[in-house]
Amino acid sequence: MAKFWWGDNLNEKKIHLLAWEKLCVPKAEGGLGFRNMVLFNQALLAKQGWRILQYPDSLIASLYKAKYFPDCGFMDAKSVNGGSYAWRSIVHGRELLRKGLRFQVGNGNRIRVWSDPWVPLPFSFKPISRPPDGLEDLRVVELLDNELHEWNVPLLRELFTPCLDPK
């Protein structure tokens, strides 16, 4: 698309009337609505990463696991030197995927309170409070009342800064 808009021929030069960033602005905001192809490509690669997470028994996920992350999960796998172009690309897309993923609590055994994304807050999905000394490795399961099968509210009030209601 950029070559069409700004491509030059041997005998004629084209005028660059708008910067690419302006062309990618949505039409509703005064732009031409072009897709930013770099971001679009990363979104498609993130979708492939999502498929590896959702269908770990699929052929492609099994192949990637055997070759690139036999001892860990997809989200912890490294982009190794000599890895295929496809694998390195999916790892690039995984960074976008990481921005939107969060844990579903379940029993909370595996979720680290302070470092894993699990809180239904926008952007980081992590608590905004700082961990108290000695509780840096606290797990979500420790915030639950085992007998009542609900949150331990007094402990939550002690550990976390209350969120202000924007209304």
Side-chain angles (χ1 to χ4, degrees):
M1 282 188 277
K3 197 172 235 181
F4 171 78
W5 284 96
W6 297 306
D8 300 328
N9 292 331
L10 292 173
N11 300 333
E12 75 178 83
K13 299 277 185 185
K14 289 189 175 182
I15 298 172
H16 297 206
L17 297 174
L18 282 175
W20 184 252
E21 291 77 25
K22 299 247 183 200
L23 294 175
C24 292
V25 172
K27 289 180 183 179
E29 296 174 20
L32 293 179
F34 289 1
R35 283 194 171 131
N36 181 325
M37 297 311 277
V38 172
L39 296 177
F40 184 66
N41 185 52
Q42 189 177 22
L44 291 175
L45 293 168
K47 186 174 182 179
Q48 296 308 310
W50 177 251
R51 287 182 180 185
I52 290 172
L53 285 173
Q54 289 298 109
Y55 306 106
D57 296 327
S58 69
L59 179 60
I60 193 71
S62 300
L63 288 171
Y64 280 139
K65 177 154 183 65
K67 183 161 183 160
Y68 298 113
F69 55 101
D71 301 324
C72 63
F74 169 67
M75 295 306 288
D76 298 319
K78 305 287 186 233
S79 178
V80 294
N81 287 339
S84 71
Y85 180 73
W87 172 249
R88 287 179 287 138
S89 298
I90 290 172
V91 169
H92 172 68
R94 181 183 64 188
E95 297 313 309
L96 179 62
L97 190 59
R98 192 181 307 275
K99 290 178 184 178
L101 285 180
R102 65 177 179 255
F103 282 92
Q104 188 173 15
V105 173
N107 64 15
N109 284 332
R110 294 181 27 206
I111 305 171
R112 296 177 302 252
V113 170
W114 307 108
S115 58
D116 288 335
W118 66 279
V119 180
L121 291 173
F123 308 113
S124 73
F125 306 114
K126 297 177 186 174
I128 56 175
S129 307
R130 295 223 178 250
D133 290 335
L135 295 177
E136 292 86 0
D137 293 325
L138 186 69
R139 304 288 173 153
V140 171
V141 70
E142 298 171 62
L143 302 176
L144 299 170
D145 185 329
N146 290 335
E147 293 175 12
L148 300 175
H149 300 290
E150 58 187 34
W151 294 106
N152 182 341
V153 176
L155 178 60
L156 295 176
R157 287 195 174 122
E158 182 182 326
L159 292 176
F160 299 108
T161 305
C163 289
L164 299 173
D165 190 6
K167 294 178 184 176

